[in-house]
Amino acid sequence: MCDRRLLFNALVIFAVLPTGFAQHTEPSSQPEAGKELRIAAAADLQPLLPPLLHQFEQQTGIHAEASYQASATLATQIIDGAPFDLFLAADLSFPQRVIDAGRAEQAAPLPYARGTLVLWTRNDSGVADLSLEALQNAGVKSIAIANPDHAPYGRAAQAALQHAGLLNALRPKLVIAENIAQAAQYADSGNAQAGFISLTSALTPRLSTDGHFVQVPDEDYPPILQGAIVVRGSPGAGAAHRFLEFLQRRAIQQTLAAEGLKPIH
Amino acid sequence: MDLQALWLTVRLATATTLVLMASGIPLAWWLASTRARWRPLVEAVTTLPLLLPPTVLGFYLLVLLGPRTGPGRVASRLLGHPPAFSFSGLVIGSVLYSLPFAVQPLAAGFRSVDIALIEQAQLLGAGRFRTLTAILLPLSTHSVVAAAVLCFTHTVGEFGVVLMIGGDIPGATRTLSIAIYDQVQDFSYAAANRTSLLLLCFSALALVLLYMRRGRTGTPHA
C-alpha cells in the first residue's frame, strides 16, 4: 500500500517536474565582465551568426553566445530581466518595446541589416512553378508561416499574401510556426508543402539541397528592417557595442549580404 | 478568455483519456499478470514518455509521421490527411505523451489486488475478461479514476509536443497552453493571467478531489 502511495506521489511530482526544468534554458552563470557577450538573436540569424561570432572572438578575445528565438519571445524575455547584453531583432518594433520598457541603452533601435522573405518548397513536394498563386493548388495542403504576431517574417508573409489578395483564400492552409526557423523546419520535413522563410535559411546548404525558392517581391511587403539594442546595465554592454561596430564593417556587411541579409545603406 | 482554445483542450483531453483507458487497461493488466521475459522491456517503453523531454516526442512525431516516411504515409492514409497540424495528430501525440500516466497507476492497482481472489475466480471458471470486469476493475476503482484524472489533466497541461507538431491553428491545434504562450509573447499579460488562473484552479481542484477520494475510502486502493 505504501509502495503505491509513493508511486502515485512520484507520478504527480513527475507530471510537474519536466516542464519546470525544461523552461530554464537561459544561461545562469555570471560571466566575467567584458570577456563574455550574450546575444538574444532573431531566428533568421541562426544560419549565419555562429561563424561571425567565431571571427569576432578571434579578433577581440570576447566570447559570444547567442540564443535564437522569435523577436517577440526575446523581447519579452529581456523585458522580464533575462541576462542578455545585446538584442539583434528581426524588426524595429520589438527592440522598440524593450526601449519603451526602459531596458535599452539606446533611444532608438539601430538598424543593422534588411531581411528578405522567400517562398520555399522541397524539390519533391510536387509544387510546380512555385509562386504565391501556385499555393492555391489542391496539392498544397499546408503552408508554413511564422507567427505574424511574434515574428517579423511572419508579419511580412501575411502582408505579402494580403497584397496578392490571397490571404483569405489561403488562410485555412496556413500552419503557424513559432518562429522563422520552425517554419523552415515544417517545410523541410515535408509536413508543409511550402513555407515562407527567410532568405538566410533558404541559402543554407541543407535547404538549398532539399528544395528551391522564389523571392517574394520587395514591394509586396513592408521592408524587414532589423534593429539592435544594447541591454541597459548589462555586464557585457561594452562588448555589445564592440560587436555592433564589428557588424557594421563593410566586409561583414558583404558577408551578411552573401548569406541573405542586405545592408541597410 | 479564448473559448475556442478551451473547448479544443477539453475535446483533446477527453479523446486522449478515452483512448488511453481503452488501451491502458488491457496493457496494464497484461503487465500486472504476465511472466513473459520481455515484460520489463514493455514496461520500460510505456514509462519512457515520463522521462523524455516533450521535444524528443515532438521531433520524432514530426519526422516519423511526416509524409516522407513509411509510418507517416500509413498514418496519412488512415486519417485521410497528414497527422501533423491536425487534431488527430495531437491525439496521437497526447496518447504517447500521457501513456505512463494511464498504465502506471492501473498496473499498480491491479498488482495490489489479492492474488487469491483472482485464482478463486479462475477456479470458478471465470475467463480473463470476466476476471477483469468482475474482480480487478471493481477492486481498483481508485486506480482507474486516478489514471483517468491524471491522463486528462496531463493532456490539458501538455505544451512541448503541441508546440512541435501543432502549428498553432485556431480550433484545431491551438490549445490553452499554446494560447497562454501566444498571449505572453504578445505582452497580453492580463489575458495570459486569466487563462493561466483557470488552468491552475482546474489542476489544483482535480488533485484535491483525487486526494479527497482516497481520504474517504481510508485506504490508498479501494
Side-chain angles (χ1 to χ4, degrees):
Chain A
M1 278 191 327
C2 251
D3 277 359
R4 291 209 36 247
R5 179 171 299 183
L6 267 178
L7 176 77
F8 185 78
N9 287 343
L11 271 173
V12 171
I13 290 166
F14 269 126
V16 178
L17 274 183
T19 42
F21 278 135
Q23 300 305 317
H24 289 288
T25 48
E26 69 242 339
S28 55
S29 59
Q30 278 295 323
E32 188 191 337
K35 283 289 163 209
E36 296 270 347
L37 174 60
R38 291 157 307 177
I39 303 177
D44 72 321
L45 297 173
Q46 195 160 7
L48 51 82
L49 203 52
L52 289 184
L53 298 183
H54 185 67
Q55 203 179 334
F56 179 67
E57 179 168 1
Q58 284 182 331
Q59 291 183 11
T60 61
I62 298 170
H63 178 69
E65 298 264 6
S67 304
Y68 304 94
Q69 288 286 342
S71 295
T73 310
L74 294 168
T76 317
Q77 290 176 357
I78 293 170
I79 291 169
D80 291 338
F84 289 112
D85 306 308
L86 177 63
F87 179 23
L88 297 175
D91 80 341
L92 301 178
S93 78
F94 293 111
Q96 186 61 49
R97 291 204 192 220
V98 178
I99 293 170
D100 294 344
R103 289 274 291 145
E105 286 197 352
Q106 290 93 336
L110 173 77
Y112 63 91
R114 192 154 66 87
T116 301
L117 179 70
V118 305
L119 179 61
W120 187 91
T121 188
R122 284 186 64 87
N123 290 328
D124 58 10
S125 69
V127 180
D129 294 329
L130 185 63
S131 67
L132 292 189
E133 286 69 29
L135 297 177
Q136 294 173 289
N137 296 347
V140 180
K141 301 258 191 294
S142 303
I143 306 159
I145 173 176
N147 193 323
D149 297 327
H150 315 167
Y153 281 90
R155 200 161 52 205
Q158 195 176 41
L161 286 175
Q162 180 97 52
H163 183 265
L166 293 169
L167 184 58
N168 286 332
L170 293 180
R171 204 183 287 280
K173 294 184 178 185
L174 295 183
V175 291
I176 302 166
E178 198 17 58
N179 55 51
I180 198 69
Q182 195 183 27
Q185 185 240 321
Y186 279 169
D188 187 42
S189 64
N191 285 293
Q193 286 70 43
F196 287 97
I197 68 175
S198 66
L199 181 57
T200 59
S201 283
L203 292 176
T204 55
R206 178 176 179 113
L207 290 199
S208 45
T209 311
D210 289 354
H212 58 278
F213 65 89
V214 290
Q215 281 200 21
V216 178
D218 282 347
E219 57 275 15
D220 288 6
Y221 60 94
I224 305 172
L225 285 178
Q226 307 207 179
I229 54 103
V230 175
V231 178
R232 180 194 290 269
S234 64
H241 283 290
R242 288 183 70 180
F243 186 78
L244 283 180
E245 284 162 27
F246 169 83
L247 206 53
Q248 287 169 293
R249 285 187 203 156
R250 183 185 296 270
I252 301 298
Q253 289 276 315
Q254 279 167 356
T255 309
L256 291 181
E259 296 183 46
L261 277 183
K262 291 178 190 157
I264 286 295
H265 306 293
Chain B
M1 173 67 62
D2 189 340
L3 287 178
Q4 199 178 28
L6 176 66
W7 174 229
L8 171 72
T9 307
V10 170
R11 278 192 303 145
L12 177 65
T14 308
T16 304
T17 307
L18 289 177
V19 172
L20 274 176
M21 294 317 280
S23 52
I25 288 175
L27 180 58
W29 189 28
W30 183 82
L31 285 175
S33 60
T34 187
R35 295 197 180 152
R37 254 189 302 169
W38 35 290
R39 180 195 54 78
L41 184 71
V42 177
E43 193 151 19
V45 170
T46 58
T47 315
L48 212 49
L50 199 65
L51 306 181
L52 284 178
T55 41
V56 172
L57 270 182
F59 166 62
Y60 281 136
L61 283 174
L62 197 65
V63 175
L64 287 180
L65 294 185
R68 299 176 50 223
T69 65
R73 278 191 289 271
V74 171
S76 226
R77 199 158 308 150
L78 289 178
L79 297 171
H81 56 80
F85 321 131
S86 71
F87 179 76
S88 33
L90 286 195
V91 175
I92 296 174
S94 308
V95 163
L96 290 175
Y97 185 51
S98 295
L99 183 65
F101 290 79
V103 173
Q104 290 287 340
L106 286 172
F110 294 162
R111 277 184 184 129
S112 69
V113 172
D114 190 348
I115 188 79
L117 283 175
I118 299 170
E119 283 169 356
Q120 280 165 19
Q122 280 167 351
L123 275 176
L124 292 171
R128 283 182 73 78
F129 182 74
R130 180 125 174 82
T131 313
L132 180 69
T133 52
I135 309 284
L136 279 168
L137 286 179
L139 286 179
S140 30
T141 42
H142 180 75
S143 301
V144 174
V145 172
V149 170
L150 281 176
C151 285
F152 192 91
T153 44
H154 192 238
T155 306
V156 168
E158 185 181 341
F159 176 70
V161 176
V162 185
L163 190 73
M164 297 276 290
I165 65 168
D168 198 3
I169 300 163
T173 60
R174 182 180 293 165
T175 58
L176 275 184
S177 61
I178 298 286
I180 292 171
Y181 185 66
D182 283 349
Q183 285 159 350
V184 173
Q185 303 305 300
D186 295 339
F187 302 90
S188 316
Y189 289 176
N193 182 32
R194 278 194 296 276
T195 320
S196 302
L197 213 56
L198 177 85
L199 279 188
L200 186 69
C201 295
F202 165 73
S203 308
L205 191 71
L207 288 178
V208 169
L209 287 177
L210 212 54
Y211 287 125
M212 265 171 59
R213 226 188 107 78
R214 170 184 296 174
R216 212 171 45 236
T217 51
T219 53
H221 63 83

